[in-house]
Amino acid sequence: MIGPRSLTARVLMLATLWSAFALVVIAIVISQLYRQSAERAFTDLLRAQLYNVINSITIGDDNKLSGSPQLGDLRFSQPETGWYWIIEPLGTFAATPLSSSSLGTSNISVPSILTVPFNNRYERFYPATDAFKNHVLVAETEVVLDGEGRAARFRVSGNLSVVEDDIQAFSRNLYIALAVFGFGSLAVNGLAILYGLQPLDAARRSLDKVRRGDAERLEGEFPREIMPLANDINALIESNRRIVERARMQVGNLAHSLKTPIAVLLNEARMLDKVQSDLVRSQAEAMQAQVQSYLNRARIAAQRESLLARTEVEPVLERLVRVIRRLNPDKEFHLTVFPAIVALAMEQQDVEETIGNLLENASRFCKTGVWITATPASAPSGDETEAARRYWIEMTIEDDGPGLEPDQIREALKRGRRLDESKPGAGLGLSIVREITTEYQGQLELGRGTHGGLRAKLLLPGLAKDAA
């Protein structure tokens, strides 16, 4: 799945933003370059037409300007086009001015030399507006026509709308072409990125299989850039498995070494008088339970972060309910697991001991029945980091017995405390449940349920079979 925290989404977003920014910059740069080129070409065209006019004009025998420039452009003969040529005598040369038929009887104002000076070729170009509201560019120069020093001012103008229309047409086509190219590039880049990141996604899926218990190591062919990471993860998984097995073996050895001395104490207690026998037996049983509790804590601490810890919820609960129902044939047990695909990220032994203790207590104190449910839940309160990366399951065991008051709940959670001495037990069940739950970073909450009795609510780390 591609989300805000996805590497694929980040790369795609950065590639898209960079491509869009680059295309916009390219479009602006090319448009400006084309504008400069079009304006320069327009200026060169006016210069060429200006000198064509100069070459076609002479002073006749009657001391008048004569000649008819033929510039090969019908716009110079059509009215109001913005394309004109004008010839005006200068100084004492009192000839009649000549102009193109497109200008008619109107004229174009001439700015002063101070405002628009001549360049080193004795030319100047300036924008103007004719009598028909056309924006034109004027090319102007002054030329001496004969040896007597008689001179004239030559001007040729062109309509700037021609340049603007050309630039707009080019820009429109450019933007369309760049847009098509941009969308095509983004599609190709997206496919290339998705293809290039496929090995990472394959590694993620393989790691999820390990976490769900469907595989024991990362499997598959990975590129050489990822293979060292996959090998290190496999080595870490194998090391973790060896640590767990070694911890289990040590726990078993310790339990076995303590089993015989405790059994001897219990056996010898029978030979004492009743008061001493009860005292030794109760202390030996408490010691046995304490040792087992701490052994369990050591084992849980050794494998708590293991990726391989996995227990299916429904089969374990069904088995426990079956056992408890046989021991309590007069009680009813109601089991609900939703969805049935969930699993706990715990060792099966810890799940059985945790739920078994709660079921045993509930069956001992209930009147008619016990209700067991398992559903998905949100993360423990105040644990935002876990909420982002773990799946949680809420399990409740509720009975219709007398229940407990808040002060009784606090007392019941203390190790070795029994609120009802008439019932068998060492008073360690709830404290063991809380210790195991805490070791797995979960929560245990006791309170009064909807059926009137005690409700034990567990929040335990879980896994989903369909987790991607």
Side-chain angles (χ1 to χ4, degrees):
M1 181 182 294
I2 298 179
R5 301 181 64 181
S6 167
L7 180 61
T8 302
R10 292 180 182 180
V11 175
L12 285 174
M13 181 181 66
L14 289 176
T16 300
L17 291 177
W18 167 247
S19 298
F21 175 76
L23 288 174
V24 170
V25 172
I26 290 173
I28 293 174
V29 170
I30 294 178
S31 294
Q32 291 300 317
L33 291 176
Y34 185 81
R35 174 177 288 277
Q36 294 175 6
S37 176
E39 290 176 350
R40 186 167 51 251
F42 190 70
T43 301
D44 292 340
L45 174 64
L46 292 181
R47 178 183 290 112
Q49 291 174 337
L50 177 65
Y51 285 101
N52 283 338
V53 173
I54 293 173
N55 292 331
S56 62
I57 297 299
T58 59
I59 298 177
D61 295 337
D62 54 358
N63 294 325
K64 294 182 179 181
L65 294 172
S66 63
S68 180
Q70 300 296 325
L71 303 181
D73 193 335
L74 293 178
R75 291 174 294 187
F76 286 98
S77 59
Q78 297 172 347
E80 304 179 10
T81 59
W83 293 84
Y84 318 118
W85 54 263
I86 306 169
I87 307 167
E88 299 172 333
L90 295 176
T92 58
F93 184 33
T96 303
L98 298 179
S99 63
S100 62
S101 58
S102 59
L103 185 61
T105 59
S106 60
N107 201 349
I108 298 176
S109 61
V110 180
S112 67
I113 297 177
L114 295 178
T115 304
V116 182
F118 287 96
N119 58 21
N120 56 1
R121 299 172 61 176
Y122 208 76
E123 301 168 346
R124 63 175 183 165
F125 297 84
Y126 51 86
T129 302
D130 65 10
F132 313 108
K133 306 302 181 183
N134 293 314
H135 296 287
V136 299
L137 180 66
V138 180
E140 178 184 319
T141 188
E142 295 178 356
V143 178
V144 177
L145 298 176
D146 59 9
E148 298 179 6
R150 287 179 292 187
R153 176 188 294 121
F154 291 80
R155 287 184 293 163
V156 173
S157 69
N159 199 328
L160 287 173
S161 64
V162 174
V163 180
E164 292 300 327
D165 292 343
D166 180 56
I167 293 173
Q168 289 180 6
F170 175 82
S171 298
R172 183 169 54 254
N173 294 333
L174 173 67
Y175 297 153
I176 293 174
L178 288 179
V180 173
F181 173 78
F183 284 118
S185 297
L186 290 177
V188 173
N189 287 340
L191 293 175
I193 291 170
L194 292 175
Y195 176 76
L197 294 179
Q198 271 188 346
L200 287 178
D201 194 52
R204 178 187 61 82
R205 291 194 301 269
S206 183
L207 187 60
D208 283 338
K209 288 182 180 179
V210 175
R211 184 181 294 109
R212 297 196 305 267
D214 298 335
E216 295 185 354
R217 64 193 310 274
L218 295 185
E219 299 174 348
E221 294 294 330
F222 301 106
R224 60 181 181 181
E225 293 84 359
I226 303 177
M227 185 59 72
L229 177 61
N231 292 337
D232 288 345
I233 292 177
N234 285 333
L236 180 61
I237 294 173
E238 183 61 30
S239 175
N240 189 57
R241 183 184 294 109
R242 288 197 300 268
I243 291 173
V244 171
E245 293 299 328
R246 185 163 57 251
R248 287 173 177 170
M249 182 180 64
Q250 292 173 351
V251 167
N253 292 339
L254 182 56
H256 181 73
S257 64
L258 292 175
K259 180 179 180 181
T260 300
I262 293 176
V264 171
L265 290 175
L266 291 173
N267 186 56
E268 292 296 325
R270 298 191 187 96
M271 304 174 64
L272 302 175
D273 58 71
K274 186 176 186 308
V275 176
Q276 293 175 333
S277 175
D278 290 343
L279 176 62
V280 173
R281 187 177 63 255
S282 64
Q283 294 301 313
E285 288 176 351
M287 181 171 59
Q288 188 177 39
Q290 292 272 10
V291 169
Q292 187 60 43
S293 173
Y294 281 104
L295 291 176
N296 287 341
R297 292 182 64 179
R299 176 178 50 78
I300 293 171
Q303 57 79 49
R304 181 177 59 200
E305 299 299 332
S306 173
L307 294 175
L308 304 179
R310 175 185 177 85
T311 302
E312 299 292 335
V313 173
E314 194 167 21
V316 171
L317 292 182
E318 289 178 346
R319 184 166 58 253
L320 290 173
V321 169
R322 229 175 9 250
V323 172
I324 297 296
R325 184 181 286 120
R326 289 176 183 173
L327 298 176
N328 302 273
D330 58 329
K331 309 291 178 63
E332 294 183 358
F333 294 86
H334 309 274
L335 174 62
T336 303
V337 179
F338 178 80
I341 59 173
V342 295
L344 289 168
M346 299 171 60
E347 287 292 317
Q348 181 173 330
Q349 178 180 344
D350 298 324
V351 176
E352 291 176 347
E353 184 165 5
T354 301
I355 307 302
N357 271 304
L358 295 175
L359 281 177
E360 184 180 356
N361 285 339
S363 64
R364 187 186 307 161
F365 292 99
C366 73
K367 294 177 182 178
T368 61
V370 178
W371 289 261
I372 309 102
T373 61
T375 58
S378 56
S381 58
D383 196 355
E384 296 181 358
T385 57
E386 289 296 321
R389 67 182 183 88
R390 298 194 71 171
Y391 185 85
W392 294 90
I393 297 175
E394 181 181 283
M395 305 185 68
T396 60
I397 294 91
E398 183 178 345
D399 61 71
D400 59 354
L404 296 176
E405 299 300 327
D407 56 339
Q408 292 178 312
I409 291 175
R410 287 192 295 271
E411 200 66 22
L413 289 174
K414 294 180 180 178
R415 175 173 291 277
R417 299 304 297 270
R418 296 170 57 194
L419 299 179
D420 188 351
E421 297 292 339
S422 66
K423 303 289 185 180
L428 297 171
L430 289 178
S431 63
I432 291 175
V433 171
R434 185 175 64 174
E435 288 175 358
I436 293 176
T437 302
T438 303
E439 287 296 328
Y440 280 101
Q441 301 176 350
Q443 290 181 352
L444 169 64
E445 179 184 328
L446 300 179
R448 190 168 294 277
T450 57
H451 297 279
L454 181 67
R455 181 184 65 182
K457 184 168 68 174
L458 289 169
L459 193 61
L460 300 173
L463 296 168
K465 285 183 179 179
D466 59 346

